[in-house]
Amino acid sequence: MRARELGRKSVVVGDRVGLVGDTSGAPGALARIVRIAERTSVLRRTADDDETTAEGRLERVVVANADQLVIVSALADPPPRTGFIDRCLVAAYDADIEPLLCLTKADLAGPEAVLGYYTELELPYVLIRPDSDLAALRALLAGRVSVMVGHSGVGKSTLVNRLVPDAERAVGTVSAIGRGRHTSTSAVALRLPAEPGADGDTGWIVDTPGVRSFGLAHVSAESLLHGFPDLVEARVDCPANCPHTADEADCALDAWVAAGKADARRLASYRRLLASRSGEGDPREPERNPGDPLAGS
């Protein structure tokens, strides 16, 4: 229960709260939340990119107080979508949360295409196969609150069940058209179990329902660029108030890419996000560049 004096202040997964009452956790126990501690970080998303729409104005807090955003993407079945990963990176940098790329189903396809796309970012990553030893991933999760996000069907809940065997998160299959089926229906925080002989805080993971897209209406157009750190430096040569759009003749981002300092696909992804903020694209539908199998959102 929540104390009346908290009013409409919402409580979300990851919040640190003060409790009074029976905190034993026994069946029938009743306690009240009387205090919500100040949040160190808030990861948000919207259903739409455009803040002029009802969906864009409605912010959803995914998790509070997370240290790390684990972006889970399958390398096949369903195929990786760097457009979606880019959105998650923007949200992570905006919330001041460190990103970690977790590439699953590495037994079905290699990671070269995805990792090549992010070469300039030095983005930390782990590769996961069905028989993988998860020691490297556990080391990156230890002592931290990590929130896991990803499309349905990428193996996120399967991974959670391997990390926390008692979690019993529902798992599903990928449909015939290559889309995952929603299995997890609510976000839940799970403490990672201690490994034999290990000391210290094992950390927490927050498993979230599979999402089709990650709306960014809450992120300003200026902050959007900070989700593309490989392009940020180029803006110093842009004219004042440059919109960075493709029709801006003096935008320095084009010259930056032409000089080989960033991947042209990264610039195209950034400009797609800019366009979707103006209502020119639907963030819920896949976006592709001709000939680029990784461009979907």
Side-chain angles (χ1 to χ4, degrees), residues 185-224:
T185 57
S186 60
V188 61
L190 303 163
R191 183 182 286 279
L192 290 162
E195 291 293 289
D199 296 322
D201 182 7
T202 56
W204 290 77
I205 55 172
V206 179
D207 185 24
T208 61
V211 295
R212 186 170 178 185
S213 187
F214 212 105
L216 298 172
H218 62 286
V219 180
S220 69
E222 181 64 23
S223 295
L224 198 65

Side-chain angles (χ1 to χ4, degrees), residues 146-223:
S146 302
V147 53
M148 306 182 79
V149 299
H151 284 313
S152 297
V154 298
K156 182 165 53 63
S157 293
T158 298
L159 181 60
V160 170
N161 287 336
R162 292 185 62 194
L163 290 167
V164 188
D166 293 336
E168 298 181 349
R169 297 295 274 172
V171 297
T173 58
V174 177
S175 68
I177 58 174
R179 292 179 180 172
R181 302 181 188 276
H182 292 277
T183 49
S184 301
T185 57
S186 60
V188 61
L190 303 163
R191 183 182 286 279
L192 290 162
E195 291 293 289
D199 296 322
D201 182 7
T202 56
W204 290 77
I205 55 172
V206 179
D207 185 24
T208 61
V211 295
R212 186 170 178 185
S213 187
F214 212 105
L216 298 172
H218 62 286
V219 180
S220 69
E222 181 64 23
S223 295

Side-chain angles (χ1 to χ4, degrees), residues 73-182:
S73 175
L75 288 169
D77 192 32
R81 294 286 183 260
T82 52
F84 175 79
I85 297 173
D86 286 345
R87 289 173 174 274
C88 293
L89 289 174
V90 168
Y93 293 134
D94 184 67
D96 198 22
I97 298 174
E98 295 183 20
L100 170 66
L101 183 58
C102 181
L103 298 173
T104 62
K105 305 186 184 182
D107 57 316
L108 301 180
E112 294 80 14
V114 176
L115 297 181
Y117 178 80
Y118 291 107
T119 297
E120 300 299 325
L121 270 66
E122 299 182 356
L123 181 63
Y125 71 92
V126 289
L127 296 178
I128 304 295
R129 297 176 176 84
D131 58 349
S132 291
D133 180 353
L134 300 182
L137 178 57
R138 290 184 186 276
L140 293 168
L141 299 175
R144 316 185 81 174
V145 176
S146 302
V147 53
M148 306 182 79
V149 299
H151 284 313
S152 297
V154 298
K156 182 165 53 63
S157 293
T158 298
L159 181 60
V160 170
N161 287 336
R162 292 185 62 194
L163 290 167
V164 188
D166 293 336
E168 298 181 349
R169 297 295 274 172
V171 297
T173 58
V174 177
S175 68
I177 58 174
R179 292 179 180 172
R181 302 181 188 276
H182 292 277

